[in-house]
Amino acid sequence: MSKFVPFAHAKSLYEIDPEFFKSNGVTTLFVDLDNTLDSYKCHSPSDNAKELIKKLKEAGLDAVIISNNRYKRVLPYAKELGVDFMSSTGKPFPRKINKYVLEKGLNKENIMVVGDQLMTDTLAGNRAKIRVVLTEKIVKEDQPTTHFNRIFDRPIRKHLRKKGLLVDWKDKYGTR
Ligand SMILES: [Mg+2]
């Protein structure tokens, strides 16, 4: 079960104060796209997403999109947002994430993964040994391919919550 335990939980990335990341030594966020930043139906970034990235940049935080979705979905979105990206990332497998970290010379202690799914985002982050912030989905609708993951996500999430293993981000300032 421990591989599903996130470092922290948030209702959404949009509610998190950038100071939370900074107090934890983070300089780079690996952010999931669909249902973390925007609906999978949003082909270009919402104003909210644009404002968020601007706010993070002003706080000195880089965002990199890590999406399991295809290149042709992720590229135009990331380009318009002005951020780097990985597409077909292959979460829950950490291979592509590890490769990116190595290529860019990043330190995993300075990264956090943020995503709405236990079966992909949380698992990939934990396997890569990168801290994870698990969020709730921002819109109701999921891509059809995600429905299967939710069948597992729901009861595990419920279990983690019951065990007190979903700690709110506000209680996780400055852990290092
Ligand atoms: Mg997602």
Side-chain angles (χ1 to χ4, degrees):
M1 215 26 115
S2 67
K3 59 185 186 287
F4 290 113
V5 179
F7 173 75
H9 173 269
K11 195 155 178 275
S12 105
L13 172 55
Y14 291 94
E15 72 164 19
I16 302 178
D17 187 329
E19 283 306 315
F20 158 77
F21 295 113
K22 295 179 80 175
S23 78
N24 283 298
V26 174
T27 58
T28 307
L29 300 180
F30 283 178
V31 185
D32 172 53
L33 202 181
D34 296 318
N35 241 333
T36 297
L37 277 173
D38 270 315
S39 162
Y40 79 96
K41 289 179 178 168
C42 281
H43 293 293
S44 53
S46 61
D47 289 343
N48 278 348
K50 287 178 185 166
E51 268 169 43
L52 173 75
I53 296 303
K54 192 171 157 239
K55 188 173 84 174
L56 292 173
K57 269 189 185 153
E58 282 166 1
L61 295 162
D62 269 334
V64 177
I65 289 176
I66 56 162
S67 178
N68 275 359
N69 220 323
R70 282 174 295 176
Y71 184 78
K72 69 170 193 188
R73 187 274 188 272
V74 185
L75 168 79
Y77 184 97
K79 214 171 170 184
E80 196 178 333
L81 208 51
V83 299
D84 202 4
F85 70 96
M86 291 167 242
S87 58
S88 303
T89 303
K91 298 173 287 183
F93 302 103
R95 190 186 60 85
K96 214 159 173 175
I97 292 170
N98 284 331
K99 191 167 163 252
Y100 184 95
V101 169
L102 205 65
E103 276 173 6
K104 301 286 178 184
L106 298 172
N107 185 337
K108 287 180 176 179
E109 289 187 1
N110 304 129
I111 305 171
M112 255 186 214
V113 166
V114 184
D116 68 298
Q117 284 198 64
L118 282 165
M119 303 306 296
T120 53
D121 307 308
T122 306
L123 205 45
N126 283 341
R127 282 171 167 174
K129 299 195 164 41
I130 297 171
R131 287 168 292 174
V132 177
V133 178
L134 175 69
T135 66
E136 300 301 312
K137 50 185 194 173
I138 55 167
V139 292
K140 251 197 188 128
E141 74 267 15
D142 276 317
Q143 202 161 226
T145 48
T146 302
H147 292 168
F148 181 74
N149 285 335
R150 295 284 182 205
I151 293 169
F152 299 96
D153 187 303
R154 260 179 245 118
I156 298 170
R157 198 178 287 245
K158 203 174 155 193
H159 173 83
L160 294 175
R161 181 163 284 131
K162 212 171 130 191
K163 295 275 174 191
L165 294 171
L166 296 185
V167 180
D168 192 76
W169 63 274
K170 293 187 203 80
D171 298 323
K172 292 285 251 178
Y173 269 85
T175 53
R176 56 164 292 222

